[in-house]
Amino acid sequence: MSILHYDFMVRALIAAVLVGLTAPAVGIYLVQRRMSLVGDGIGHIALTGVALGFLTGQSPVLSAVVVAALGAVAVELIRSRGGASGDVALSLLFYGGIAGGVLLISLAPNGGNNNLLGYLFGSLLTTRPSDLIVMGVLAVAVLLFTVGLRSWLFAICHDEEFARVSGVPVRLLNILLAVSAAVTVTVAMRVVGVLLVSALMVIPVATAQQVARGFAATLAGAMGLSVAVALTGAVGSFYLDVPSGASIVVLAVLVFVVVTAVAAAVHGWQRRAAARPSRPAPEAPAPDPVAAEPTGAGVPGR
C-alpha cells in the first residue's frame, strides 16, 4: 500500500516540504554572516516556549513562537553590541533556555519526558492537522520575508555599514531576520527537533555553495536540496522505523560529504589541467633560398 494512503504520512510529507523550504531560506543569511549556530541557540530558547505551552495548557507551537521570537530579538540586540560580554550573555541565554524548558516541563500537569523528546529530536509522524496549519502560515510569512526582501538582506549580510549609508533599515531588518530564524525553528521542531534544526538551516546551504555560483543559485539549490533530503528522510524513517529528525540530518550530512568530495576532485582536475604545459606549435619551415630567387623575366639587364 502506498504511504499516501495514510493521513499521518501525508501530513508528515507536507510538513517536510514546508521545513525544507523555510530552513535554508533563513539559513543562507546566517551562513553569510557567520552566525550558523544562532539557530541552535534559538532552538534552546524555543524549548522553554514548548514547556510553557504544556504548563499553561496552550498550544506548544504558538507559545514556542512567542518565546523564541522574544529570545531572538534579545540575541540580535546582544549581538549588535559585540564584545566578550555579549558572548557570555548569549551563552547564558541559550543554556538558560534549555534548562528552563526542562524545569517547566517537569511542573506541567501533563508534561513528561515523552512530550519533551518529541520536540527535542522531532516527531514528524505525529504532526497534527492543527500543527500543520500553524506551520503553513508561519512558513509562508518566512518565505515572503526572506525571498521578497533578499536584495536588502543580501546587502546587510555583506556590508552592513554600506547598507546603512544607502538608506537600508538595517536595525529593523536584523530584528526581522532574527524573528524569522525563531519562526523557522518553531516550524521545524516537529520535523527535526529544536536540537537538530540548525543542521537543516546550515548544511543544505553549505552543500549548495560547493557547486553553485551566485547568491540566487545558492539559495535555489539549497532549498531544492533541503526539500529532497527532508522528503527522503521522512519516507525512509517510515519504512525503517527510525527517528525522522535524525534520518533527515544524517542524510543531509552524507550528501554534503559526497558533494564536497566530488567538487574537490573536479577542482583538482581542473587545476592540474590548467597547469599542464601546452604542446608547442610546430615551427614553420625555413624558406628555400633557391626557390626564393627571382626569375630572369623580372631582373633588369637580362
Side-chain angles (χ1 to χ4, degrees):
M1 178 181 290
S2 172
I3 61 175
L4 297 180
H5 286 85
Y6 299 101
D7 291 339
F8 68 90
M9 275 306 300
V10 173
R11 293 193 296 270
L13 295 178
I14 294 174
V17 171
L18 293 175
V19 173
L21 291 173
T22 54
V26 174
I28 189 170
Y29 301 109
L30 300 181
V31 172
Q32 293 290 333
R33 305 182 74 173
R34 302 183 184 276
M35 297 171 58
S36 302
L37 295 179
V38 168
D40 184 52
I42 295 176
H44 293 172
I45 300 172
L47 188 63
T48 298
V50 171
L52 186 62
F54 283 117
L55 182 63
T56 59
Q58 304 298 320
S59 170
V61 176
L62 293 178
S63 60
V65 170
V66 175
V67 174
L70 294 175
V73 172
V75 168
E76 173 56 31
L77 294 177
I78 294 172
R79 184 201 66 83
S80 62
R81 293 180 57 186
S85 59
D87 294 338
V88 173
L90 289 178
S91 299
L92 292 174
L93 191 63
F94 293 165
Y95 297 131
I98 193 169
V102 174
L103 179 62
L104 291 178
I105 199 69
S106 65
L107 299 176
N110 297 323
N113 291 331
N114 292 331
N115 289 330
L116 192 60
L117 288 176
Y119 290 92
L120 280 173
F121 301 103
S123 183
L124 179 60
L125 301 183
T126 61
T127 303
R128 298 170 297 182
S130 58
D131 294 334
L132 201 59
I133 294 174
V134 175
M135 291 172 63
V137 173
L138 296 177
V140 170
V142 170
L143 291 175
L144 287 176
F145 172 70
T146 55
V147 178
L149 299 179
R150 63 183 181 276
S151 59
W152 281 8
L153 295 174
F154 178 81
I156 66 174
C157 288
H158 281 266
D159 195 337
E160 191 170 296
E161 292 301 325
F162 179 78
R164 183 178 287 108
V165 172
S166 301
V168 177
V170 174
R171 174 60 64 86
L172 177 62
L173 290 176
N174 281 333
I175 292 177
L176 291 178
L177 184 59
V179 173
S180 297
V183 172
T184 302
V185 169
T186 306
V187 171
M189 67 182 180
R190 294 295 291 175
V191 178
V192 294
V194 294
L195 297 184
L196 299 176
V197 63
S198 183
L200 204 58
M201 297 171 70
V202 173
I203 296 176
V205 176
T207 305
Q209 286 179 334
Q210 304 297 319
V211 295
R213 294 294 179 267
F215 181 79
T218 302
L219 177 60
M223 293 174 71
L225 175 62
S226 181
V227 170
V229 168
L231 288 176
T232 304
V235 174
S237 66
F238 173 78
Y239 285 111
L240 299 177
D241 193 21
V242 294
S244 58
S247 302
I248 293 171
V249 173
V250 168
L251 184 58
V253 172
L254 291 177
V255 173
F256 172 79
V257 171
V258 172
V259 171
T260 302
V262 173
V266 172
H267 293 162
W269 178 83
Q270 290 176 343
R271 286 194 299 268
R272 289 192 298 270
R276 188 180 301 122
S278 58
R279 182 177 299 176
E283 296 183 0
D288 188 351
V290 176
E293 184 179 354
T295 61
V299 179
R302 290 192 179 183

